[in-house]
Amino acid sequence: MTNSPNTPPKSGANQMWGGRFASGPDAIMTAINASIGFDKRLYAQDIAGSRAHAAMLAATGILTSSDAKAIGEGLLTVLSEIEAGNFAFSTALEDIHMNVESRLKEIIGAPAGRLHTARSRNDQVAVDFRLWVRDQCDAAISGLTALMQAFLSQAEQGADWVMPGFTHLQTAQPVTWGHHMLAYVEMLARDKSRFEDARKRMNECPLGAAALAGTSFPIDRHMTAAALGFDRPTANSLDSVSDRDFALEFLSASSICAMHLSRFAEELVIWSSAQFRFVKLSDKWTTGSSIMPQKKNPDAAELLRAKLGRILGATVALFTIMKGLALTYSKDMQEDKEQVFDAADTLMLALAAMTGMVSDMSANRDVLATSAASGFSTATDLADWLVRALNLPFRDAHHVTGTLVAMAEKKGCDLPDLSITEMQSVHDGITQEVYSVLGVENSVRSRTSYGGTSPVRVAEQVARWKTLLG
Ligand code: ARG
């Protein structure tokens, strides 16, 4: 290799790959082709990948150690220029890879041209993007841990507070506040494990796959993989440069997580309304109305309800970009990044906002208890009592209870307000003992099956999660 080509590219042609081009691209071609506007976010990963590559090229004798040293140090200078905001990104240089390399050449001269030995932008972008997505998995995992802790504190505080449990948003059975909060801890724990699984699977290094076929240089892919914190190098060079399934897994896990957030967001919107008054949201997470002075709008919750739309949109977009692409790399794949960047930013912001809202919200314990007792919420307890005490088949017990509910509804009272005579007019076996099962406190205390809402079970689960979350 000579230090510089004898025939530099014609004026206007790309300095990096313009050897066979007589003219430069159309301005609109530059606009559609360039990714620097967004892939500059990969600068730290790009420089880390290049430094690992250069060190490996020296260790394997492909580069002299003095060239590798100049490259390694020059790359650190580029890094600090970018971090200080002193770097002039150029659209003509297309992407982050060529921007960094071109600046490196300005700083260290000829050795910069040797950095791209045994490498292509195809494996370069694959490794940069994997490193970036891997960091986002870590960020999601710690964001989820913080949110789980916020739900857990709520659960611990109100382990035995009764509230109505709903199906179809109709009163179903009384449950405990702690149980409801822990339902979200379970969902978020599964979300977390999805990011952990995805991270494990993506943690293989594509660097060294080169353009698509591998390289004839005696590179050490295990060395670069280890230097960048990967478990191992990827085993097939074609696959290495052509798949973005790791990004799709991240987006899929993000979508499921955002869906969970949207469900609690919706509950907060309902619960904080004047009609429900189950919770009070802190002023920090609500806004006022410019015309209606009484209003306190749950804007953060509403936005959190909406964010899945955006994240799922990115997921669908990337699936659609990748669908039907013949192996290996195609420029279509440059469209992967903006989707993932936006989805990741959205998810991290959503997790932080939800954590703040959950930490700052306060449950109206009395309102929850009153509401728990309304809507014939202990009708199932009555039916269960008829089965246990009178040995009625459950279907018959259900029928008797339904008749009693209709009677109470007609009278405009709750089940415990019916007299024993009224009860016995529907089934003569009913005794005074029935009243002991009609209270909401009794109702929740009785649901001691594993995973049930009884305060005893909730306290056990709180203790389990406290150990798990540390
Ligand atoms: N900017 C490109 C991308 O993000 C980098 C890879 C370009 N490779 C190529 N052969 N043109 O996909």
Side-chain angles (χ1 to χ4, degrees):
M1 249 188 239
T2 55
N3 279 346
S4 62
N6 296 329
T7 49
K10 321 259 180 323
S11 78
N14 189 293
Q15 296 300 308
M16 296 292 181
W17 47 248
R20 62 163 293 186
F21 286 76
S23 76
D26 188 277
I28 295 173
M29 172 58 185
T30 302
I32 195 174
N33 195 40
S35 54
I36 189 63
F38 48 88
D39 70 12
K40 61 175 146 203
R41 278 189 80 162
L42 298 175
Y43 74 89
Q45 290 75 14
D46 194 69
I47 289 171
S50 288
R51 280 172 51 80
H53 184 64
M56 179 279 290
L57 291 178
T60 49
I62 301 166
L63 276 196
T64 63
S65 53
S66 67
D67 279 353
K69 190 162 174 279
I71 290 171
E73 284 167 7
L75 284 168
L76 286 182
T77 307
V78 177
L79 180 66
S80 57
E81 286 177 356
I82 297 176
E83 272 168 358
N86 292 333
F87 190 96
F89 291 103
S90 150
T91 308
L93 288 167
E94 262 182 65
D95 56 27
I96 186 64
H97 322 298
M98 297 198 292
N99 269 268
V100 169
E101 192 186 316
S102 157
R103 178 68 188 129
L104 181 67
K105 191 167 180 208
E106 285 170 11
I107 299 170
I108 68 165
R114 298 189 186 277
L115 169 61
H116 216 50
T117 314
R119 180 177 86 164
S120 147
R121 276 188 296 155
N122 296 350
D123 59 337
Q124 195 178 353
V125 74
V127 75
D128 292 4
F129 200 33
R130 257 187 219 233
L131 287 169
W132 196 89
V133 175
R134 191 178 72 180
D135 282 351
Q136 297 304 307
C137 286
D138 291 339
I141 289 164
S142 57
L144 279 162
T145 307
L147 180 54
M148 288 166 75
Q149 269 152 349
F151 273 113
L152 182 58
S153 305
Q154 287 285 350
E156 186 173 22
Q157 192 192 10
D160 60 352
W161 300 354
V162 288
M163 67 178 284
F166 299 95
T167 59
H168 316 267
L169 200 55
Q170 305 286 317
T171 303
Q173 294 171 354
V175 295
T176 45
W177 173 259
H179 200 48
H180 198 107
M181 294 299 108
L182 286 180
Y184 283 98
V185 174
E186 295 287 339
M187 291 175 235
L188 298 171
R190 289 193 297 277
D191 291 340
K192 195 168 137 177
S193 74
R194 269 182 277 274
F195 286 109
E196 286 162 351
D197 289 347
R199 190 197 195 284
K200 236 177 267 163
R201 238 182 324 278
M202 77 179 65
N203 205 29
E204 294 186 343
C205 185
L207 190 60
L212 75 166
T215 175
S216 55
F217 290 97
I219 59 171
D220 182 352
R221 293 191 58 209
H222 292 273
M223 182 180 167
T224 39
L228 295 168
F230 287 105
D231 294 330
R232 63 192 79 84
T234 50
N236 182 296
S237 62
L238 304 176
D239 171 48
S240 310
V241 295
S242 65
D243 210 349
R244 294 292 182 267
D245 59 352
F246 64 91
L248 286 167
E249 281 199 58
F250 172 76
L251 290 174
S252 305
S254 300
S255 297
I256 296 174
C257 177
M259 175 275 294
H260 285 148
L261 300 187
S262 80
R263 298 187 70 176
F264 191 63
E266 167 70 349
E267 295 199 313
L268 286 180
V269 170
I270 296 170
W271 291 358
S272 63
S273 67
Q275 288 68 25
F276 268 75
R277 291 197 308 113
F278 281 9
V279 294
K280 203 165 151 266
L281 295 176
S282 136
D283 288 357
K284 289 199 246 170
W285 304 101
T286 50
T287 62
S289 155
S290 49
I291 183 166
M292 296 164 282
Q294 85 283 10
K295 295 258 282 190
K296 206 168 147 183
N297 294 326
D299 289 37
E302 293 167 90
L303 288 163
L304 282 165
R305 190 171 55 183
K307 292 297 185 192
L308 169 64
R310 210 157 141 177
I311 295 176
L312 186 59
T315 311
V316 173
L318 187 54
F319 269 109
T320 314
I321 289 161
M322 295 305 295
K323 178 195 169 290
L325 287 187
L327 301 189
T328 56
Y329 178 86
S330 294
K331 196 65 174 255
D332 309 50
M333 289 159 66
Q334 179 166 288
E335 293 286 314
D336 57 1
K337 288 168 216 57
E338 283 164 294
Q339 305 302 331
V340 177
F341 291 162
D342 186 67
D345 291 345
T346 304
L347 182 73
M348 303 318 152
L349 185 60
L351 286 170
M354 189 59 101
T355 304
M357 247 193 321
V358 172
S359 307
D360 293 348
M361 74 181 178
S362 49
N364 289 327
R365 192 179 173 180
D366 297 341
V367 176
L368 289 173
T370 311
S371 178
S374 69
F376 314 108
S377 65
T378 53
T380 317
D381 300 84
L382 172 55
D384 287 350
W385 181 85
L386 293 168
V387 170
R388 265 198 315 273
L390 307 183
N391 198 27
L392 292 192
F394 185 79
R395 288 288 162 219
D396 297 351
H398 185 283
H399 190 77
V400 169
T401 308
T403 312
L404 288 167
V405 165
M407 182 184 276
E409 198 166 35
K410 207 160 146 213
K411 275 191 71 186
C413 68
D414 283 320
L415 282 174
D417 306 321
L418 290 175
S419 72
I420 188 70
T421 330
E422 284 166 328
M423 297 252 194
Q424 285 168 347
S425 73
V426 178
H427 194 284
D428 57 10
I430 298 179
T431 66
Q432 282 290 343
E433 196 195 289
V434 76
Y435 291 100
S436 69
V437 301
L438 297 180
V440 288
E441 300 280 347
N442 276 312
S443 169
V444 295
R445 266 204 298 278
S446 72
R447 299 229 148 70
T448 51
S449 53
Y450 181 79
T453 200
S454 150
V456 188
R457 294 287 96 89
V458 172
E460 285 166 5
Q461 292 297 322
V462 165
R464 177 172 80 93
W465 280 113
K466 279 178 90 169
T467 314
L468 287 172
L469 292 175

